[in-house]
Amino acid sequence: MKKVLSIFFIFILFLIFINWYNSRPEVIISRVVKNKDIRAGQLRYKIYLMKVIPVGEASLGVAKVEDYKGAKVYHLTGSAHSSSLFTNFFQARAYLDSYVDIQELSPMLFRQKLVIKGKRQFYREVFYDQANGTMSLEGVRRQIYPNTQDPLSAMFNVRLIDFKKTDKIEIGLNTNQKNYILKGTVRNQSVTVGKDIYKTAFLDAHISRRDKNPYHKSNISMVLLEEVANVPILINVFAGGVLINARLIDINDRNN
């Protein structure tokens, strides 16, 4: 019995080491550039629980300029689905859309749809009136802070920051009821992959309620490839005692 437990323990340590190694920025970059250059495009990620268990995949689409209520906006899209490993007992898909004002870079509309096999479909639409400092969800209006973002538009804004000119970040968030704020610091670092050197930005931030409620906090860290439109190659989110790890696995020329 002790021998079996020892083998199991060694196996677990091996998995942890492999996944720790695979989540290093230089390893992620080397795998993406193996068959193609890193460039702007649709980003695909593999999602891991606690950096070990592959639980799904996600994608961020290319921003498209479209018309919305007579104005030009950026249409942002994102999606995620559970891993095929869990097909027999759990299947889920999520779809996100954000319509962002081109001038102010703040959202006008955020849509979220969650489909879980065997469950009722969840759908949400959030309308933002940034000029009047309000948002509307299911007919209920709530006060928001200036330039409040949704998850997609927040990521879009992060990717537009010139981290050579600032080492701090602060973004307001709200897609539900309470106002949150994302605050963090950034450090620039070069990553060597073979003979090539890539300039990256390491972002460490936390998300908390504006009303300073101590029970609603989470931490987020990202590694962004600065020289290619601040492409996020690694994202870690720690919330509720759970660590979610997203690693870039591919870049497509266009949305699927």
Side-chain angles (χ1 to χ4, degrees), residues 238-252:
F238 184 77
V242 176
L243 174 63
I244 299 297
N245 171 258
R247 307 170 198 169
L248 182 68
I249 58 174
D250 191 26
I251 303 178
N252 296 324

Side-chain angles (χ1 to χ4, degrees), residues 142-172:
R142 297 178 173 87
Q143 293 296 125
I144 58 174
Y145 285 78
N147 201 31
T148 289
Q149 304 290 327
D150 61 61
L152 282 182
S153 65
M155 177 65 79
F156 183 68
N157 275 266
V158 167
R159 295 185 61 187
L160 294 176
I161 296 174
D162 185 351
F163 292 113
K164 297 181 183 67
K165 297 180 179 179
T166 182
D167 61 355
K168 291 181 174 61
I169 183 173
E170 183 172 318
I171 296 176

Side-chain angles (χ1 to χ4, degrees), residues 28-29 31-46 58-62 159 198 225 227-233 247-256:
I28 296 172
I29 293 173
R31 290 186 171 176
V32 174
V33 302
K34 187 175 182 180
N35 298 316
K36 60 185 74 173
D37 294 330
I38 291 185
R39 64 208 179 282
Q42 183 195 40
L43 309 177
R44 289 182 54 233
Y45 297 87
K46 181 79 77 173
S59 67
L60 291 175
V62 179
R159 295 185 61 187
Y198 295 86
L225 196 57
E227 54 198 278
V228 189
N230 277 346
V231 167
I233 61 173
R247 307 170 198 169
L248 182 68
I249 58 174
D250 191 26
I251 303 178
N252 296 324
D253 292 323
R254 55 188 177 183
N255 290 326
N256 292 329

